[in-house]
Amino acid sequence: MSFVVGVGGSGSGSGGDGGGSQHQDGSETDRKKKRYHRHTAQQIQRLESSFKECPHPDEKQRNQLSRELGLAPRQIKFWFQNRRTQLKAQHERADNSALKAENDKIRCENIAIREALKHAICPNCGGPPVSEDPYFDEQKLRIENAHLREELERMSTIASKYMGRPISQLSTLHPMHISPLDLSMTSLTGCGPCGHGPSLDFDLLPGSSMAVGPNNLQSQPNLAISDMDKPIMTDIALTAMEELLRLLHTNEPLWTRTDDCRDILNIGSYENVFPRSSNRGKNHNFRVEASRSSGIVFMNAMALVDMFMDCVKWTELFPSIIAASKTLAVISSGMGGTHEGALHLLYEEMEVLSPLVATREFCELRYCQQIEQGSWIVVNVSYDLPQFVSHSQSYRFPSGCLIQDMPNGYSKVTWVEHIETEGKEPIHELYREIINRGIAFGADRWITTLQRMCERFASLSVPASSSRDLGGVIPSPEGKRSMMRLAQRMISNYCLSVSRSNNTRSTVVSELNEVGIRVTAHKSPEPNGTILCAATTFWLPNSPQNVFNFLKDERTRPQWDVLSNGNAVQEVAHISNGSHPGNCISVLRGSNATHSNNMLILQESSTDSSGALVVYSPVDLAALNIAMSGEDTSYIPLLSSGFTISPDGNGSTSEQGGGASTSSGRASSSGSLITVGFQIMVSNLPSAKLNMESVETVNNLIGTTVHQIKTALSGPTASTTA
């Protein structure tokens, strides 16, 4: 095998004397001979043996090979690049052949089964078999409908490319039309006899059926990417990677350090180094948020890359940041069984855990590349796909992270987050500071969340033990993992219920009312029935750590837990899942619990410099025993409620209380933003209709809880302005 590699010389110059014109043909031949070099068999044999040992030689290894073989280092570099490309193509051809053979085999089996079914007879009566169970008939129809939706979406995508605009999908048919005004609190309160509001039939509300995926996200097909689009996407990804590498390795003048030790992008210097294309020119209605952060995480580089390139694992890793993530298409799956060179087209929705902050939607390319041994880069960059994010007001410039392996299973991660967002929707005053300063969606939040979640995953390998567990200790590592999976599902459930995600099955029953409470509802399979979710955000002049300690401590729980009726609770099981003592999973039992009342409380708390979570759900004893025995917990019903605590962005969070009050009711010193969310089941009947009394109940529940927290932490004279 031999490769032709450019040497880079251009032959003799053009500035010679007139004699050069007499030998034009000869000089042209000489230049061609000098420009190309065919390797000898011995050189190729040595290069092949080196490639088997290390497909990615560093500069020192390339220089050593160049001295041995008498080749330029650049020739060595090009040879290895060409060899890796050829190996990738061989693997892809082999994979395609294997998949084609498997597909042919399955098709033949399918035809044989269909033929056998045509001639099937009943063994008892000798007649044709009776029809299948109606349940399976319904499932077949659902599967067929899903395939038809996929075909419709594929054809719409193809048509939109030629028409230059997205093709609207068929609208959902409803038996009757309901005006959004009919669902507001103002139009329903006090209507009907005895002041009871009219009931709402959730089968008539969009997105309420359990069979409907969240905003059709889960039913979206893998897009068919044309051969014309793939090179364009690859070029965009490679350009984005080069820009991100420069942003990662350059300090001043591209980056400036703020007073709170944060790296913020210098927009003027950035635009001088990376001039924007004409379609992304300056727009004064847009606001730029760009930051950089780094940290050490307890997970090796390969494991992190694997999680970053898998949308399901990615969402589980960042449940408080990622509301939804979906792989739309795989342009390249990687090389040699790794993610090197992998390129995916994704839909992603980012959130802040508050009903006051709108989510941000992106359609983006995610590209992964190994820079050198033990060093990987993962880059994200927006890609215009209007049929998925037609109303998006945000654009993601090259962002992502550099992951570098360190000893003992650790990695150093350097993160860059660069977003341009349109300021059409006004920012709520509570979040104006942390959003305008780039904290809410910034790189620091990604890094601190990643550090905490990696500690959580690492704790799975630590033996489970506790003197306060139900029955002594959690019996097995499988039991501990099962409990942690159950708590993880509880956290994800809570995060989606308090944010303004567009990718949920929930129907907005009451948008932000006069006290800032947002109420949504949906039908749930586990627990089976209609679930009402309510959330609000308020401000306290206390540090996030003090608020976290107060809400987490079971001794102070009776001061705010309205449903405990002032009764004390006791921690009976405990799983640590991080270095901070507040990062743990607990099982709580009320002091008034009896043998007839087997309801316990599963709670997970976590904290880092970006904020904290305290989330809990009632779980009965039988379900907890299932989890502790290591069995499947996916069918255990959860009603996730709890609190999100974050700094308000005003200076240091070390102070607490005090400070002069501003015109907005907030103190001039730092404080905390607390989002409280509740879920209650209003009925366990599939055909239940929601009465607005339930909405008033959950509103009162949140209002009383907020009042009791403010009273306990700030005193009766504290400001009540949210």
Side-chain angles (χ1 to χ4, degrees), residues 672-694:
S672 303
L673 299 175
I674 298 94
T675 295
V676 54
F678 281 107
Q679 292 188 24
I680 63 171
M681 175 180 285
V682 295
S683 175
N684 57 3
L685 297 176
S687 59
K689 298 181 180 181
L690 176 66
N691 192 289
M692 294 311 296
E693 279 188 334
S694 302

Side-chain angles (χ1 to χ4, degrees), residues 198-249:
S199 60
L200 301 180
D201 188 346
F202 273 77
D203 289 328
L204 304 181
L205 298 181
S208 62
S209 173
M210 291 182 295
V212 180
N215 201 27
N216 291 333
L217 178 61
Q218 300 302 326
S219 62
Q220 294 291 359
N222 287 331
L223 291 180
I225 306 299
S226 68
D227 293 336
M228 185 181 300
D229 289 335
K230 287 181 180 180
I232 298 174
M233 292 180 172
T234 303
D235 185 60
I236 292 173
L238 291 173
T239 303
M241 183 186 71
E242 293 173 1
E243 178 176 323
L244 180 60
L245 278 172
R246 191 160 182 182
L247 290 173
L248 288 164
H249 293 305

